[in-house]
């Protein structure tokens, strides 16, 4: 690697602009270029953020001036693209989910280790200022032992705002957005060990913004109880039906002596509130919070980790564990039984940001 981590974006769809905007804030990372199966999309991306408009993925992987790829392709090809990049000697940061099933995800982790390459994966919102504030409160014992966590993922009807919603309905809301609170909670409390879940299609007749009709290929509503090895029990709901305006939102942690509420599992400047057991919530200051979601933080952390030799925080092993939880949710919902989860991962370290006095 040169003085900068030179990254190429693979897939220039809806989320690529948010990555391009936030990556630019990190001097240690440079956008080397991009490619997409739709040449108009990659041309627009490099026109906005710079770099080479590569004709294909192979051209990206053949360029020694690219150190890492940012895999923003559709979920169905995440594993294929990541495998090709690792085999070509490139570090990878992938959007979620890492792979379609745990066996495939684990093989990517193993391949990266064999090649001495870094494998990073979203979600990275556990590195947000609000999310880390919540974690510090728990680590400092502000609410005692946390035994129950509630997480709400009401992600609205994707076809009402996304131009190409069908791929997300093939994997369902747990794999698309339920992974955000799952990643935050496992980053705080450690791995899952058992899952009991329910899923169904509540809204079968969908219409895209261009007027095309389709039906979900996976449940568009689900509830999962995830038992963590630490003893914390998580109740997670996820759907592509209820609007984001719902009063049920974010993450709420309940401990022996109090509770913490996080208004959003995505926004780094989310509200954090603390309440004693039986008392009222009061706001907790969140210092120097990024407004919205800093997607580029994954690459900033990755580049620093490579230079300093420390572990990066959003590891492939953690992402693979999340995929195993997703597999367990699907199996439990389909078979009507509790399903064990066996994998593990090293907990990510908090970033060196002190909690302000309250």
């Amino acid at each position: 690697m040169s003085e900068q981590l030179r990254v190429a974006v693979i897939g220039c769809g809806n989320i690529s602009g948010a990555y391009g905007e936030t990556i630019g804030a990190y001097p240690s990372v440079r956008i080397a270029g991009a490619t997409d199966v739709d040449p108009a999309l990659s041309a627009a991306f490099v026109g906005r953020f710079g770099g080479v408009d590569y004709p294909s993925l192979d051209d990206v992987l053949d360029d020694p001036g690219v150190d890492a790829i940012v895999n923003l392709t559709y979920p169905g090809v995440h594993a294929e693209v990541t495998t090709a990049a690792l085999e070509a000697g490139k570090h990878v940061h992938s959007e979620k989910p890492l792979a379609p099933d745990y066996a495939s995800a684990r093989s990517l982790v193993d391949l990266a280790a064999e090649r001495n390459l870094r494998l990073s994966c979203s979600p990275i919102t556990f590195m947000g200022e609000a999310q880390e504030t919540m974690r510090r409160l728990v680590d400092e014992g502000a609410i005692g032992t946390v035994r129950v966590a509630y997480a709400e993922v009401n992600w609205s009807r994707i076809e009402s705002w996304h131009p190409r919603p069908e791929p997300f309905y093939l994997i369902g809301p747990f794999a698309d957005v339920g992974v955000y609170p799952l990643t935050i909670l496992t980053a705080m409390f450690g791995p899952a060990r058992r899952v009991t879940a329910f899923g169904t299609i509540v809204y079968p007749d969908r219409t895209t913004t261009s007027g095309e009709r389709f039906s979900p290929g996976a449940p568009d509503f689900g509830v999962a109880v995830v038992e963590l090895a630490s003893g914390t029990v998580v109740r997670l709901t996820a759907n592509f039906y209820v609007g984001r305006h719902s009063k049920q939102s974010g993450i709420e942690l309940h401990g022996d002596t109090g509770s913490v509420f996080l208004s959003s599992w995505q926004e780094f400047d989310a509200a954090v509130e603390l309440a004693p057991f039986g008392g009222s919530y009061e706001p907790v200051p969140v210092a120097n919070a990024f407004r919205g979601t800093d997607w580029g933080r994954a690459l900033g952390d990755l580049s620093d980790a490579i230079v300093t030799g420390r572990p990066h925080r959003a590891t492939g092993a953690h992402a693979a564990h999340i995929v195993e939880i997703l597999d367990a949710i699907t199996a439990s919902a389909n078979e009507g039984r509790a399903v064990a989860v066996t994998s593990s991962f090293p907990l990510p370290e908090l970033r060196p940001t002190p909690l302000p006095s309250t």
Side-chain angles (χ1 to χ4, degrees), residues 100-188:
D101 55 72
Y102 177 67
S104 300
R106 186 68 241 178
S107 69
L108 294 175
V109 175
D110 293 341
L111 178 59
E114 291 167 7
R115 300 299 176 93
N116 196 29
L117 294 166
R118 301 295 186 116
L119 176 59
S120 170
C121 187
S122 291
I124 53 86
T125 53
F126 64 88
M127 288 192 273
E129 285 79 15
Q131 292 74 18
E132 290 191 326
T133 296
M134 177 178 69
R135 180 175 171 182
R136 285 191 170 89
L137 287 169
V138 170
D139 288 351
E140 293 173 358
I143 61 172
T145 300
V146 177
R147 303 185 191 274
V148 172
Y150 294 149
E152 309 286 351
V153 184
N154 297 304
W155 206 234
S156 193
R157 301 163 195 183
I158 295 181
E159 69 276 15
S160 67
W161 55 270
H162 197 291
R164 300 177 181 175
E166 296 92 338
F168 303 100
Y169 283 94
L170 290 175
I171 64 171
F174 281 120
D176 182 40
V177 278
V179 292
Y180 284 91
L182 280 176
T183 301
I184 291 169
L185 292 169
T186 51
M188 292 179 63

Side-chain angles (χ1 to χ4, degrees), residues 76-338:
V77 297
H78 280 177
E80 176 185 345
V81 171
T82 295
T83 298
L86 292 172
E87 289 179 342
K90 311 295 186 185
H91 304 293
V92 176
H93 173 73
S94 176
E95 256 302 319
K96 44 69 186 172
L98 181 62
D101 55 72
Y102 177 67
S104 300
R106 186 68 241 178
S107 69
L108 294 175
V109 175
D110 293 341
L111 178 59
E114 291 167 7
R115 300 299 176 93
N116 196 29
L117 294 166
R118 301 295 186 116
L119 176 59
S120 170
C121 187
S122 291
I124 53 86
T125 53
F126 64 88
M127 288 192 273
E129 285 79 15
Q131 292 74 18
E132 290 191 326
T133 296
M134 177 178 69
R135 180 175 171 182
R136 285 191 170 89
L137 287 169
V138 170
D139 288 351
E140 293 173 358
I143 61 172
T145 300
V146 177
R147 303 185 191 274
V148 172
Y150 294 149
E152 309 286 351
V153 184
N154 297 304
W155 206 234
S156 193
R157 301 163 195 183
I158 295 181
E159 69 276 15
S160 67
W161 55 270
H162 197 291
R164 300 177 181 175
E166 296 92 338
F168 303 100
Y169 283 94
L170 290 175
I171 64 171
F174 281 120
D176 182 40
V177 278
V179 292
Y180 284 91
L182 280 176
T183 301
I184 291 169
L185 292 169
T186 51
M188 292 179 63
F189 300 114
R193 284 296 169 256
R194 190 167 66 166
V195 172
T196 307
F198 165 84
T200 189
I201 295 176
V202 296
Y203 197 47
D205 300 318
R206 306 275 182 161
T207 304
T208 68
T209 53
S210 61
E212 298 177 14
R213 298 178 66 84
F214 72 98
S215 295
D220 59 5
F221 174 91
V223 181
V225 175
V226 183
E227 301 171 61
L228 306 184
S230 64
T232 302
V233 177
V234 176
R235 192 266 289 130
L236 169 65
T237 62
N239 68 83
F240 288 151
Y241 178 74
V242 179
R244 300 187 202 180
H245 65 282
S246 172
K247 290 180 180 294
Q248 297 184 81
S249 63
I251 295 174
E252 195 170 24
L253 307 179
H254 299 285
D256 291 352
T257 61
S259 301
V260 176
F261 173 67
L262 175 74
S263 66
S264 170
W265 33 259
Q266 183 179 40
E267 308 297 324
F268 287 12
D269 58 340
V272 178
E273 299 176 5
L274 176 66
F277 179 73
S280 299
Y281 276 115
E282 297 292 339
V284 175
V286 178
N288 304 314
F290 181 92
R291 296 191 65 181
T293 306
D294 182 3
W295 305 99
R297 189 163 295 179
L299 284 308
D301 182 73
L302 183 63
S303 62
D304 178 74
I306 292 171
V307 169
T308 61
R310 66 166 174 82
H312 58 284
R313 291 177 170 85
T315 64
H318 191 179
H321 180 74
I322 297 298
V323 173
E324 189 184 10
I325 296 175
L326 297 177
D327 284 354
I329 288 173
T330 299
S332 177
N334 288 342
E335 300 169 16
R337 63 180 179 87

